[in-house]
Amino acid sequence: QPEILGPDMAGSQIPQRDRLRSLFAVFVLMTETFGLAALISEEVERRTVTALLVTPMTVKELFVAKGTIGVLLAFSEALLLLTVVRGMSEQPAIIATALFLGAVLVTGVAFLIASAGSDFLSVTIWGVPALIILSIPAIGILAPGSMSGWIEVIPSYYLTDTIYRASNFGAGWGDVWRNLLILAGFNAVIIAAGILTLRRKFQ
């Protein structure tokens, strides 16, 4: 007797154009990583940050300002893109929440890249590997079964998996809460690491 492992997708396969939604969202978010990291490293190189810290502004206020702008820009662009490609038709609240957490993730990664780089070239050298690594889960969706369990150590896996399941299968909060919780945990660690490393560079 034949036995089907996992859900039976016969007759209900997901078109490739729908699988690409997660990949598009990740690439848009990663673009903001380059932009924010390059901006911070340029301000450090030109000593703009030093001039700002001479004023009553504190390091914490500077991080909040940079982080808020980075998150808003990344989130709004990714949300707009998924709206255009009809990726928000199913479970829009879940997808919007995942995109917001993804925007926080790339902002933290941008802090780390900016702390490692000293100019645009060095930001690019550090940023390209980060882009490739964070894009692996989204690329894996295009070829189901090609990735093994190790992919779950990449934070963007929980972002792409949530968007993919919510937009294509109508997954609810009960199905993706674990993904969102783990992604929020990764965000807290990465943001803290980025702030600490940049703080040392500023001081």
Side-chain angles (χ1 to χ4, degrees):
Q1 296 293 330
E3 182 177 352
I4 298 175
L5 301 178
D8 186 3
M9 299 297 295
S12 58
Q13 291 83 356
I14 304 299
Q16 286 293 92
R17 65 177 180 273
D18 294 338
R19 295 180 184 274
L20 287 171
R21 289 169 180 165
S22 300
L23 185 62
F24 289 155
V26 170
F27 275 130
V28 169
L29 292 174
M30 289 300 102
T31 302
E32 286 305 317
T33 300
F34 276 107
L36 182 59
L39 177 62
I40 294 174
S41 63
E42 182 179 0
E43 290 183 350
V44 172
E45 182 182 9
R46 296 186 177 183
R47 304 187 68 81
T48 306
V49 173
T50 304
L52 288 174
L53 294 178
V54 171
T55 69
M57 174 180 282
T58 63
V59 175
K60 182 179 179 180
E61 291 172 343
L62 180 64
F63 282 128
V64 170
K66 295 294 182 185
T68 301
I69 295 299
V71 169
L72 290 178
L73 283 175
F75 172 70
S76 60
E77 291 177 5
L79 186 65
L80 177 61
L81 175 64
L82 282 187
T83 301
V84 170
V85 299
R86 300 180 180 179
M88 301 292 294
S89 56
E90 295 283 344
Q91 302 290 357
I94 293 177
I95 296 176
T97 302
L99 289 178
F100 178 79
L101 292 176
V104 175
L105 171 67
V106 299
T107 300
V109 173
F111 284 162
L112 287 175
I113 294 174
S115 65
S118 57
D119 52 25
F120 182 77
L121 180 59
S122 59
V123 165
T124 303
I125 293 174
W126 286 100
V128 170
L131 172 62
I132 293 174
I133 293 173
L134 293 176
S135 300
I136 289 175
I139 296 174
I141 289 177
L142 300 178
S146 61
M147 300 293 177
S148 56
W150 65 266
I151 199 173
E152 296 185 10
V153 303
I154 303 176
S156 58
Y157 165 80
Y158 303 96
L159 168 65
T160 55
D161 185 61
T162 300
I163 295 175
Y164 177 68
R165 292 167 60 190
S167 62
N168 293 316
F169 299 101
W173 292 102
D175 302 312
V176 301
W177 69 269
R178 179 176 174 273
N179 280 357
L180 298 177
L181 184 62
I182 294 175
L183 182 57
F186 272 114
N187 286 350
V189 173
I190 293 174
I191 285 287
I195 290 177
L196 288 176
T197 53
L198 268 181
R199 187 191 297 271
R200 292 180 180 179
K201 191 168 186 177
F202 290 160
Q203 296 175 347

